Structure formats: structure tokens, C-alpha cells
Amino acid sequence: MAAGVTLNDVAKAAGVSIASASRAINGLDNVTEEVRERVLEAAGKLKYVPHGAARALAMSRTNTIGVILPDIYGEFFSEIIRGIDVAARASGLHILVSGSHGDVKEAVKAARAMAGRVDGLLVMAPYADADDLSGKLPFNLPLVMMGGVGGQADLPSLVVDNYSGALEAVRHLREQSCRRIAHIAGPESNLEAQDRLRGYLDGLKEADLSPQVLPGDFTDAAGYAAVQTLLAQEQMPDGLFAANDMMALGATLGLREAGVSIPDDIAIIGFDDIPVTRYASPPISTLRAGVFDIGRRSLELLSVLIERGSAEASTSAASLIVRPELVVRASSRRR
């Protein structure tokens, strides 16, 4: 907490009473949305954090952790939740999960709804800069950002180095003698997808190769659709980097249906290493981000903050960066 900043300072900056400021910061319902926004904005600018002892008197321990994810569908998020749940149970905690549907406002609403019901928050918001998001979340809760760009904010976070992983994926395809390497991108507004696209483009630049980027949305259907576009071309690529494993799976299915040999005609690599990739036909090469461990380690980090008993710890902890590991399987192994 910034030296000397009190709830009274926040109330004055927001132009409200101390009681209204307290209700807004503690996520209570009996305050208008307009007042809440003003109070949280003022608290963020002043770097205000409630005093731990005062908060402990007002709020009892629930032994429950709030988890806010951009989606809860698919193997990637199932693995994240599984990692969180395993670590939570080991610490005698339960989890409350909500999906934000990729909408920052929905993530903020979910966080505020959880205030008073949970002891801390795990938030994955790859569609928003963590600095913008954190200023709108309840200030009385310890917070850990997962994935996305949490490392850009002054918040504890566990983030994946998406850029270096994508760069390594392209270098691997080049080592397999691929020279026409296409990329199925993630959603344009997704910051992790942007980093993977940047790594792909720089990986091609290193060898003076031309890019071909196809739109995607991280679903298997998007991978399948992208392949239909490639099949309609006069010349197919000989390498394909999908921004996640689900799109790589959809692309693999589309290519096999068309009689394209993998990896002889086209080598394929994905990103994340969700469990199903090792059982695909052929098994899919990928960048292992340790999805389960991201969930587990994030929960463990949050547990430490909760035990310290002060949300102030959430404004000083350093980020943990996960370096993806190249996993080569039959979908790209030519030599």
C-alpha cells in the first residue's frame, strides 16, 4: 500500500462518503455501479490496499478460491481447472469457477459477485491488459493472474512465454526442411495469440521465408476450416504451425480426410500439449506449456498470499514465467 493512503483518501478522491467507499471496495451490493467504478478507479490510482487486520474483522475465511477463466470449454481449460483443484484439495480448499466468455466486463462482474464468498482470486484474462483489469477488481482479495499478460502488471502472476515457444515451433519446422510454413492464428484480440503470431513471423524472418496466416479461434473447427482453405490452393504449405493444439487436431483431421500424408507432405505442430495430442493419429508435436502445472502452481502461489493475510502482498510479488518445452512427435518428425 502506498505510504499514508487511507480509505478516507480514496473516498475524497472519488467524491463519496467513507461508508460508500468501504462498500464499493469490499464488493457489497448496496452501492451503485457508477460509484463503485469511481471508488475502484481512485483506489487503483492511489495504490490503496485495505489494512489486513481491519479486513480480517470484517470478513471471515471461507476456504474457497474464486477462479475466473475466459472459457470453461475444452481440454485446455479442463486441465487448468484440474491443476487448480488438485492443489486446492491438498490445501483443504474448494474452488468456485466462472467463465467470462472472453469479456473483461464479465470477468469484473464475476469477481465482484465472488467478493465475500472467496478468500482469493485466480484470474485468466488474455483479452485485457492486467493493469486495466486489476484496477476494477475487489481490493480486499489476494489475486494471482494466470497466463495472458499478467506479468506486465504489478501483480503476482504465472505467465507462459508464448513468443519464444512459437519461435521454437517455427525453427523446428525449418529443421525438418519446411520452407512454406503456414500459421493458423488464434483470435485477433487474444494477447497470447498475438505473441504466438509474433514468434511465428520472426521465425520466418530469420530464414527469409514468406508468411501465410489463416484466421482461427482456438477451436478444432477453426483448424479444420483453415485446412479447407489450404487444400483449395494451387500449392500447399509443407509446414503448419497451429496456435493451439485444438486447431492442430482439427487441421490433422481435415488433412487426413483429403489423403494428405503427415508429416511427409506437411509437418504439423501445435501449442499447449493437452493430453489428447499424444493419442491423435499421428501423435501431434507441440510446445508443452504445462497446463496442469499452471493451474496447480497458481493456486499454490495464491495460497501463500492468503496465509500472509494481506492483499498488499498481491501488489509486490514477482511474475513466474513458464518457458514452453518442444515435444516432437510423429506429426512433424521427418528425420
Side-chain angles (χ1 to χ4, degrees), residues 26 35-36 47 64 71 82-83 91 95 118 123 171 175 197 199 227 239 264 277-278:
N26 283 288
V35 167
R36 191 190 309 278
K47 301 293 185 185
T64 302
D71 201 344
R82 190 170 71 87
S91 300
I95 62 174
V118 299
V123 179
R171 287 171 175 169
E175 288 171 359
L197 173 60
V227 159
D264 296 333
T277 53
R278 68 199 69 163

Side-chain angles (χ1 to χ4, degrees), residues 75-93:
E75 253 197 279
F76 177 85
F77 295 110
S78 294
E79 279 295 284
I80 288 279
I81 293 171
R82 190 170 71 87
I84 293 170
D85 186 58
V86 166
R89 293 308 172 97
S91 300
L93 301 170

Side-chain angles (χ1 to χ4, degrees), residues 245 271-275 277-278 284 286-289 291 327 329:
D245 287 338
F271 202 115
D272 290 330
D273 193 31
I274 58 176
T277 53
R278 68 199 69 163
I284 296 174
T286 187
L287 272 298
R288 178 178 292 149
V291 182
V327 179
R329 299 190 178 112

